Amino acid sequence: MAQRSRPTASDLLSDPGVLDHVPTLEVFGFAAVTTTGGASVLPLRTDWLQARAGRIEAVSGWAEVSGDRFTQAVVHLQKGRAATWQGLSEAWRRLEPGGRLLLVGANELGVKSAVKRLSGELDQPPQILANRARARVACWLREGAFAPEWPVIPPLEVVTDGDRFELSSAAGVFSADGVDPGTLVLLGRLGELDPPTSIFDPGC
């Protein structure tokens, strides 16, 4: 007898009364868009490929989001708080006045504290649309003058062989808060070459 898979936070989006059946802007997932249509923003290539294989409209970055503003946006909570807040800020900016912003996430990722923080930044209480399977979905309306705070990611200062420079990093990427050892080795070897005018670093 086959075992039933454990419900995930994304499964809560199919609960009655959670989603309005309107084209949705979805960030870091595509469970809602599968049901309602719309567009998914999927920076992770494996997610993007999976969505495209299912014939779901998916883009890898915000610059590719086209069309009018949305009346509903869904953001999936990420391990990295900066990535989550960047997604919330961008989704909020693309909502129509009065549009719904939904945050979905698991308790183990800290969805309760994320809901509390976002409610404080928006100065409005959340509407909890679903709360089961150790996860929840919360909703806010785009109204008033408040918005989710854009995450500030300070540049990383790097020193190699006496050279000092800064690296910029995007939210949610590997080692965004510090230079990893592999990158330090690569940067140290660049000094042995003729000064490059451009660098192609595939997979990074």
Side-chain angles (χ1 to χ4, degrees), residues 36-120:
T36 66
S40 291
V41 181
L42 301 169
L44 192 62
R45 183 166 174 78
T46 51
D47 293 341
W48 181 85
L49 288 172
Q50 186 179 357
R52 298 290 287 196
R55 300 191 177 185
I56 294 167
E57 184 182 340
V59 298
S60 60
W62 288 102
E64 302 168 68
V65 177
S66 60
D68 297 330
R69 287 191 172 192
F70 294 82
T71 57
Q72 179 171 261
V74 175
V75 177
H76 294 258
L77 184 68
Q78 302 296 289
K79 287 182 180 179
R81 289 294 176 262
T84 298
W85 249 255
Q86 187 178 82
L88 289 166
S89 298
E90 288 284 358
W92 186 264
R93 194 163 65 86
R94 287 166 171 80
L95 276 176
E96 292 277 4
R100 306 167 76 230
L101 175 67
L102 280 64
L103 176 63
V104 55
N107 292 346
E108 63 187 21
L109 284 182
V111 69
K112 293 179 183 177
S113 61
V115 167
K116 182 177 180 180
R117 173 183 165 182
L118 186 55
S119 292

Side-chain angles (χ1 to χ4, degrees), residues 4-12 132-133:
R4 295 181 62 183
S5 59
R6 178 179 157 186
T8 65
S10 295
D11 292 332
L12 273 64
R132 65 177 181 85

Side-chain angles (χ1 to χ4, degrees), residues 152-167:
V152 176
I153 305 172
L156 304 174
E157 186 176 88
V158 181
V159 179
T160 59
D161 296 332
D163 293 324
R164 184 184 301 268
F165 55 92
E166 291 184 343
L167 294 177

